[in-house]
Amino acid sequence: MDANGTDTNGTDTDEAPSLRPQSLVLAFFGDHVLERGDVGVYSGSIIDVLGRVGTGEHAVRSTLTRMVNRGLLRRQREGRRMFFGLTPTAQDVLRDGGRRIWDDGAVNEDWDGTWTLLGFSLPESWQRQRHDLRSRLTWSGFGALYSGLWIAPGHADVRGIVSELGLDAHVKVFHARADEFTDVGLMIGESWDLEALAARYAAFDERWTAGEVLSGDPLATRLRLVAEWLRVIRDDPRLPARHLPPEWPARRAQETFRHIAELTSGPARRAARGVLETTPLRTAADGG
């Protein structure tokens, strides 16, 4: 699971990405529940919504249980019915995802020319720690300039990651600008897999402009749209647009996403109101 709470071991295809139930649950809660405050959603409502995109009841129930165990959801029984609400951790995850979708966007036009440099030296026997650090750095937008030197555009705050992994004594972080003789475009091409990143944006744009994924159910369409877009942008380090190849496909894909998101916003919310059964979540003081 990545920092957006998204499963990271699914596989995309040319026709459609493999969206895991947890990704769909989080996309659904982020779009229709987060701003309602501390409310729980009846499990039957969640099963109904995810069933519209092909996720079976057993898979939904298993996913909800796992998300409770992982601290992403809390459950509350009302009579014979079970309701699920967001934990503070999940709320933070979804707000971060919302910023990446609606505020930051997929095209970095306002880069200030600075880089965050992170160097580390770990004992040879620390293979697990090295793997964990590299995985977290990749999610945070870093690319490997050299084996022990990673870079990210802008001012990246990695103190939490380093401390959580217990590597404070083994990591050094700097903020700097590239000298004028450094070919920044070449450096970016050597540190990130631009071809793979561009292919994901192009595939997203092709799927959604073709219209085949649009359905008569705006709730299902928007759920798949948001979950797929999150899957694409979660691996994007938001590299400076001025140093990317001409006609970088992220801009076109983002325009497609936002156009369909606008078209489905109102209808999806109206459909959600007709489907969702909710209840206020009790606090500890209330005996919840």
Side-chain angles (χ1 to χ4, degrees), residues 16 18 32 106 157 195 252 257 284:
S18 173
H32 299 288
D157 186 357
E195 184 176 348
R252 187 174 62 250
F257 165 75

Side-chain angles (χ1 to χ4, degrees), residues 118 120 130 134 144-150:
L118 183 147
F120 64 88
R130 185 177 290 103
R134 288 172 174 168
L145 185 59
Y146 301 108
S147 61
L149 181 62
W150 289 56

Side-chain angles (χ1 to χ4, degrees), residues 22 42 79 102 112 127 140 153 187 191 200 206 283:
Q22 178 172 296
Y42 171 47
W102 305 111
D112 63 2
Q127 295 183 10
S140 299
M187 181 180 71
S191 303
R200 286 195 290 272
E206 183 177 354
T283 64

Side-chain angles (χ1 to χ4, degrees), residues 109-243:
E109 301 279 14
D110 54 0
W111 179 59
D112 63 2
T114 63
W115 295 90
T116 299
L117 283 72
L118 183 147
F120 64 88
S121 178
L122 304 180
E124 287 296 326
S125 60
W126 287 19
Q127 295 183 10
R128 180 183 59 79
Q129 291 91 331
R130 185 177 290 103
H131 170 77
D132 290 346
L133 177 59
R134 288 172 174 168
S135 297
R136 297 291 295 276
L137 290 177
T138 298
W139 161 247
S140 299
F142 280 79
L145 185 59
Y146 301 108
S147 61
L149 181 62
W150 289 56
I151 59 173
H155 189 109
D157 186 357
V158 292
R159 289 174 297 179
I161 293 174
V162 174
S163 296
E164 182 181 336
L165 296 175
L167 299 177
D168 300 72
H170 301 271
V171 172
K172 303 294 184 291
V173 180
F174 303 88
H175 301 284
R177 293 177 177 270
D179 194 273
E180 60 182 13
F181 71 81
T182 299
D183 187 331
V184 175
L186 178 62
M187 181 180 71
I188 287 175
E190 292 174 341
S191 303
W192 285 274
D193 188 346
L194 296 183
E195 184 176 348
L197 184 58
R200 286 195 290 272
Y201 279 117
F204 176 91
D205 186 58
E206 183 177 354
R207 282 196 304 275
W208 286 93
T209 54
E212 295 179 359
V213 291
L214 299 177
S215 71
D217 184 341
L219 186 56
T221 298
R222 187 176 175 89
L223 176 58
R224 176 165 284 280
L225 174 77
V226 172
E228 285 189 24
W229 185 244
L230 274 169
R231 185 178 181 83
V232 173
I233 66 172
R234 67 157 191 242
D235 292 325
D236 188 347
R238 297 194 75 245
L239 298 166
R242 73 185 81 159
H243 293 294

